[in-house]
Amino acid sequence: MVSLSRSTAYGVLVLAALDPQGQEYRAAADVSAEANIPRPYLSKILARLQEAGLLEGKRGRDGGLRLAREAHRISLLDVVHAIDGEDWADQCLLGLPGCSGSCPCPVHAFWSGIKPRIEEVLQTTSIDRVRDFTDAGWKMTASGD
Amino acid sequence: MVSLSRSTAYGVLVLAALDPQGQEYRAAADVSAEANIPRPYLSKILARLQEAGLLEGKRGRDGGLRLAREAHRISLLDVVHAIDGEDWADQCLLGLPGCSGSCPCPVHAFWSGIKPRIEEVLQTTSIDRVRDFTDAGWKMTASGD
DNA sequence: CTCTAAAATGACCCCGGGGTCAACTTTATT
DNA sequence: AATAAAGTTGACCCCGGGGTCATTTTAGAG
């Protein structure tokens, strides 16, 4: 299957559910409910987002989650890097070990052209774009297709 | 990680290792050695390739494997379908359940544009293109990058 | 008919991603 | 200090993809 990990998708939804200004805290339980993410699993994702400096968690009473910077300054690529890792697209499409720039497989050249375009879209699409989207009534459900 | 499955990559290598005319049989053990594919695992891949009508296996003495049709008439997309399945790219890049054409996520439009291009490249790249490539001295190794 | 070289088959193991649980730590309030 | 509300942490389970093994089936040759 050609797609990013589910965790990354969750990460995007989580960030999109927070105050785009990065000011107010919002309860994790709240986010969990809204984005339809299993609550305990959410924490794992939060950990990675915090490691990557995209998110701040405040413990204790009146604590919660908030963006580390404004939503329009966080890109989807930031999230991909934080969760799927920096090497999310190191391999070419066929993923043949031994395939590289110096020794390209038949689809390598094509992939070398496509990959930067995908990366660019992820780079230039920010979290608040997703926010607009979820605000428009979209809901993450199991049977969407 | 954004890539096709390893099995699909193996499938491509296997087909590329056979007689492009689809005439002569070649021993599976032979293919296994050349393509650096664990021999027992090879059989699983063979099964799917045969189901999909891309490959013929002949048992017994002097048996072996051969293409069901000429190499230039087998595309990478055929292999992807045979092994990863028809739905290898049903989901959009983020893979959000609930994201669809009628209710697109923010990267959906972009992905709808890219996906056909990927499919087209896979469709128009045939097995013998890969053959040329492996013949040129490329070898599947664990530490290629 | 039997021996043997080949592919095919089914059961099994391993590991990482996704998901769950129960404890723990922090901190504002009283 | 005690408490309650919050996030955090580590251990655990489940499942599918990748990979291995032993066995079975097939077909040519003597």
Side-chain angles (χ1 to χ4, degrees):
Chain A
M1 184 69 65
V2 179
S3 78
L4 297 169
S5 75
R6 175 166 290 241
S7 292
T8 296
Y10 280 156
V12 170
L13 292 180
V14 168
L15 295 178
L18 301 178
D19 170 29
Q21 304 305 321
Q23 300 290 322
E24 296 174 18
Y25 286 100
R26 186 170 183 200
D30 220 7
V31 174
S32 163
E34 171 168 323
N36 243 32
I37 304 175
R39 180 127 58 109
Y41 181 48
L42 177 61
S43 290
K44 280 193 184 175
I45 296 164
L46 296 178
R48 300 214 211 163
L49 293 176
Q50 289 186 74
E51 254 179 76
L54 302 180
L55 186 89
E56 290 171 358
K58 183 179 165 193
R59 297 174 126 161
R61 224 192 125 123
D62 297 333
L65 310 169
R66 73 175 182 188
L67 300 180
R69 54 181 189 265
E70 299 98 320
H72 68 87
R73 293 184 50 226
I74 299 179
S75 72
L76 293 186
L77 190 61
D78 290 331
V79 185
V80 171
H81 282 166
I83 297 183
D84 261 12
E86 302 282 340
D87 61 341
W88 68 282
D90 271 4
Q91 302 191 325
C92 100
L93 192 58
L94 279 179
L96 296 171
C99 161
S100 66
S102 61
C103 186
C105 82
V107 298
H108 198 92
F110 162 73
W111 187 243
S112 299
I114 288 284
K115 196 178 80 173
R117 291 201 49 208
I118 295 180
E119 236 162 351
E120 187 193 332
V121 169
L122 293 176
Q123 174 71 69
T124 58
T125 305
S126 65
I127 290 301
D128 55 352
R129 283 285 318 283
V130 181
R131 232 191 111 71
D132 298 342
F133 180 67
T134 50
D135 282 352
W138 182 83
K139 196 75 177 154
M140 174 135 167
T141 58
S143 59
D145 287 46
Chain B
M1 182 69 66
V2 179
S3 77
L4 297 170
S5 75
R6 174 165 291 238
S7 293
T8 295
Y10 281 155
V12 170
L13 292 180
V14 168
L15 296 177
L18 301 179
D19 170 29
Q21 304 306 320
Q23 300 291 323
E24 297 175 17
Y25 286 100
R26 187 172 184 199
D30 220 8
V31 175
S32 161
E34 170 169 324
N36 244 34
I37 305 175
R39 179 129 58 110
Y41 180 47
L42 177 61
S43 292
K44 281 193 184 176
I45 295 164
L46 296 179
R48 300 214 210 165
L49 292 176
Q50 289 186 73
E51 254 179 78
L54 302 179
L55 187 88
E56 288 172 359
K58 184 179 165 192
R59 297 173 124 160
R61 218 192 132 128
D62 296 334
L65 310 168
R66 73 174 182 189
L67 300 181
R69 54 180 189 264
E70 299 97 319
H72 68 88
R73 294 183 51 225
I74 299 179
S75 71
L76 294 186
L77 190 61
D78 289 332
V79 185
V80 171
H81 282 165
I83 298 184
D84 262 11
E86 302 282 339
D87 60 341
W88 68 282
D90 272 6
Q91 301 190 325
C92 101
L93 193 58
L94 279 178
L96 296 171
C99 161
S100 67
S102 61
C103 187
C105 82
V107 298
H108 197 91
F110 162 74
W111 187 242
S112 300
I114 286 285
K115 197 178 81 173
R117 291 202 49 210
I118 294 180
E119 237 160 351
E120 188 194 330
V121 168
L122 293 176
Q123 174 71 68
T124 59
T125 305
S126 65
I127 290 302
D128 56 351
R129 283 283 321 280
V130 181
R131 234 191 110 69
D132 298 342
F133 180 66
T134 50
D135 282 352
W138 182 82
K139 197 76 179 152
M140 175 134 167
T141 56
S143 58
D145 289 47

